[in-house]
Amino acid sequence: MGRNTAKNKRIKKGDFGYFKAEKKRRILITAALFVVPLFIFFSAWIYHGTRLTIWTVVATVGCLPACKSVVSLIMILMRRPLDEQLYRQIKSHQGELVMAYELYMTFYEKSGYIDAVAICGNDVAAYTSDPKTDASFLAAEAQKIVRKNGYKVNIRILKDLKPFLDRLDSMNKHKSSLEEGIKFTPDERYPDLSRNELIKHTILALCL
């Protein structure tokens, strides 16, 4: 029973394995979106013996969502999944922290890959193994948006793994003091989420 529950659990954004699962999901969605208008087009063509019917227009318009889905699919296909060995290494330091994994943060000016993010109180620590990621820019932009949502966080994205793992250990060790004195009013839209989880939710909204 427990094994089936774990197997059927849907992998969500922020979970390890998200990119791999999302690629499969978007391939199926894109294929389905193309099947319907193409079926209409060819069925009408065979039935009427010509392509010059209103159904051709309907099929063409029906392809627009499919084309949009193709763009979304291409974007996710370009993303690399988090290395499982690296994930296990980070996971072993997670402790009681609220974390997200395998993220691709996007802004108008720049985008970048982030392996993991940890949230505790007003401290947000992240790690990227991608040398092309502009960590300072992403941290500054993400911090602005999260603060606009009412959370006075300090976001730092590290490019070296050991300092990040050390930071996770420190955040776990001082978790009580990091969260002490912070006033929190639950969000009516997400009454079951803690403050740390709401900050994670806001960060996830910035990611692909």
Side-chain angles (χ1 to χ4, degrees), residues 29-45:
I29 290 173
T30 302
L33 288 173
F34 271 115
V35 165
V36 175
L38 289 176
F39 175 78
I40 292 172
F41 173 74
F42 285 109
S43 296
W45 189 1

Side-chain angles (χ1 to χ4, degrees), residues 126-139:
Y127 167 70
T128 176
S129 60
D130 185 358
K132 296 180 181 179
T133 294
D134 188 337
S136 298
F137 175 85
L138 294 186

Side-chain angles (χ1 to χ4, degrees), residues 78-94:
M78 293 172 64
R79 308 282 73 86
R80 63 180 177 84
L82 174 61
D83 178 75
E84 185 172 355
Q85 185 175 353
L86 176 58
Y87 164 71
R88 293 185 183 280
Q89 190 174 2
I90 296 173
K91 181 76 173 177
S92 66
H93 293 260
Q94 176 174 333

Side-chain angles (χ1 to χ4, degrees), residues 77-197:
L77 286 175
M78 293 172 64
R79 308 282 73 86
R80 63 180 177 84
L82 174 61
D83 178 75
E84 185 172 355
Q85 185 175 353
L86 176 58
Y87 164 71
R88 293 185 183 280
Q89 190 174 2
I90 296 173
K91 181 76 173 177
S92 66
H93 293 260
Q94 176 174 333
E96 298 181 1
L97 300 176
V98 170
M99 294 193 67
Y101 295 93
E102 211 168 282
L103 306 175
Y104 191 77
M105 193 173 286
T106 61
F107 297 100
Y108 288 115
E109 299 88 348
K110 293 181 182 180
S111 302
Y113 176 76
I114 296 174
D115 296 89
V117 176
I119 303 110
C120 184
N122 286 325
D123 277 23
V124 177
Y127 167 70
T128 176
S129 60
D130 185 358
K132 296 180 181 179
T133 294
D134 188 337
S136 298
F137 175 85
L138 294 186
E141 292 302 306
Q143 182 171 290
K144 287 179 189 176
I145 293 175
V146 176
R147 286 186 175 185
K148 283 181 180 179
N149 279 270
Y151 308 105
K152 296 180 180 179
V153 299
N154 295 305
I155 298 179
R156 187 181 178 193
I157 301 176
L158 303 172
K159 285 199 164 190
D160 294 315
L161 181 59
K162 189 177 184 307
F164 175 67
L165 297 179
D166 289 343
R167 184 58 189 155
L168 296 186
D169 293 338
S170 176
M171 290 168 77
N172 269 300
K173 183 178 180 180
H174 302 286
K175 188 174 186 293
S176 297
S177 60
L178 289 172
E179 296 177 338
E180 187 179 359
I182 297 177
K183 295 181 180 180
F184 169 58
T185 303
D187 191 319
E188 294 179 354
R189 297 169 297 174
Y190 311 101
D192 297 330
L193 297 186
S194 67
R195 184 178 183 275
N196 290 336
E197 290 168 335

Side-chain angles (χ1 to χ4, degrees), residues 9-27 29 72-73 75-84 87 99-106 112-116 200 203-208:
K9 183 181 178 183
R10 182 174 178 269
I11 297 175
K12 300 177 291 184
K13 185 189 294 187
D15 294 341
F16 171 66
Y18 170 70
F19 285 153
K20 184 177 180 180
E22 190 67 4
K23 287 174 185 178
K24 293 179 181 178
R25 190 183 75 87
R26 295 193 189 190
I27 286 173
I29 290 173
S72 174
L73 174 61
M75 289 183 69
I76 202 72
L77 286 175
M78 293 172 64
R79 308 282 73 86
R80 63 180 177 84
L82 174 61
D83 178 75
E84 185 172 355
Y87 164 71
M99 294 193 67
Y101 295 93
E102 211 168 282
L103 306 175
Y104 191 77
M105 193 173 286
T106 61
Y113 176 76
I114 296 174
D115 296 89
K200 172 184 172 178
I203 292 173
L204 291 179
L206 305 175
C207 301
L208 183 66

